[in-house]
Amino acid sequence: MRILVSNDDGYFAPGIEALARRLQAFAQVTVVAPERDRSAASNSLTLDRPLTVRRAANGFHYVNGTPTDCVHVAITGLFDQPPDLVVSGINDGANMGDDTLYSGTVAAATEGYLLGVPAIAFSLVERGHRHLEAAADLAAELVRRFAGRLGQRPMLLNVNLPSVAAGEIQGMEVTRLGRRHAADPVIRGTNPRGETVYWIGAAGRAREAGPGTDFHAIAQNRVSVTPLDVDLTAGHWIDPVRAWLDA
Ligand code: MN
């Protein structure tokens, strides 16, 4: 099995190193990741300058672009044939609910999916890598378990891993995305030239976090596995908006 590994934290991040190391035990792994932290890059492509792919001493490839650039360049430019699977992560922090819209980790996986390759995004919900080794074991186990079933149809999975020791994991659960409250307001400051500057505030707290959601599974120390799609159509608005147009 050939696996393309990417992330949004950068090719030097502990999360991608731990993930690639586990996957190398049973797959042919190629790492193509951003040269710097591109968290929250979402699905952006770089169209105003060329991209370079360089190789680090450990064999990882790094690109002066976004997570989406990395997967796009790898699949359409580096490989003779598409990989069997794209795996993204392990992100340093959760990607649940609305996070998935902003996440570069999810975007890297999404790019694989859009190019016809099954893809899985992994995120460790607590920043700081405290339980990274346990999370990487779980991620590899999931990849191994799903590998035999992939390939018929492209699919996109968003996996969040609880930040607990291996013995504390309470199983795995298929979930839907919850919702967050609106993000915290920007934080205002002043730069050395006296100009007002703004830091984007923290993500909002969970608002819709009941049973069945990713937030709920993680609160129970369960691995959350959410199948995603990229059709943003609001089906419930089609008829009302059509009625307005016809009025
Ligand atoms: Mn990140």
Side-chain angles (χ1 to χ4, degrees):
M1 183 170 46
R2 295 163 59 244
I3 301 179
L4 169 62
V5 174
S6 193
N7 75 350
D8 74 354
D9 293 334
Y11 74 96
F12 47 81
I16 199 168
E17 201 279 328
L19 179 61
R21 182 157 32 88
R22 297 302 191 292
L23 299 181
Q24 276 158 358
F26 60 91
Q28 186 187 328
V29 173
T30 306
V31 175
V32 184
E35 69 174 359
R36 64 181 175 87
D37 184 354
R38 299 305 301 267
S39 293
S42 190
N43 302 89
S44 56
L45 282 169
T46 300
L47 302 179
D48 60 349
R49 58 183 172 81
L51 299 168
T52 55
V53 181
R54 296 199 168 95
R55 200 164 181 278
N58 67 355
F60 290 8
H61 298 81
Y62 59 95
V63 176
N64 58 340
T66 65
T68 300
D69 289 331
C70 292
V71 173
H72 192 91
V73 167
I75 292 180
T76 69
L78 294 185
F79 298 151
D80 293 331
Q81 59 185 51
D84 300 304
L85 181 67
V86 172
V87 177
S88 178
I90 296 172
N91 189 58
D92 184 21
N95 279 306
M96 300 191 284
D98 317 38
D99 303 339
T100 51
L101 284 174
Y102 302 96
S103 168
T105 305
V106 175
T110 301
E111 188 64 9
Y113 172 69
L114 290 174
L115 293 172
V117 181
I120 310 177
F122 288 104
S123 302
L124 177 52
V125 298
E126 183 190 26
R127 292 182 57 89
H129 316 293
R130 188 146 61 105
H131 293 290
L132 179 58
E133 296 303 317
D137 285 340
L138 275 171
E141 184 195 327
L142 256 172
V143 169
R144 208 196 267 270
R145 209 193 275 192
F146 287 169
R149 301 168 193 269
L150 299 167
Q152 296 81 11
R153 298 184 290 169
M155 55 137 31
L156 175 58
L157 296 179
N158 184 44
V159 177
N160 280 275
L161 303 157
S163 183
V164 294
E168 319 264 300
I169 296 284
Q170 301 298 313
M172 304 194 186
E173 183 179 338
V174 177
T175 56
R176 61 189 161 80
L177 298 180
R179 294 292 297 274
R180 288 189 185 275
H181 287 284
D184 290 349
V186 292
I187 296 135
R188 211 180 259 102
T190 307
N191 76 7
R193 288 174 291 285
E195 297 166 310
T196 301
V197 295
Y198 303 88
W199 281 99
I200 299 290
R205 293 193 170 282
R207 173 164 61 92
E208 192 185 318
T213 65
D214 44 6
F215 290 109
H216 190 267
I218 287 298
Q220 318 300 313
N221 286 343
R222 296 169 70 82
V223 175
S224 166
V225 181
T226 312
L228 298 183
D229 206 343
V230 291
D231 182 354
L232 295 176
T233 310
H236 58 286
W237 274 107
I238 285 186
D239 284 340
V241 174
R242 183 181 289 129
W244 298 349
L245 289 178
D246 291 346

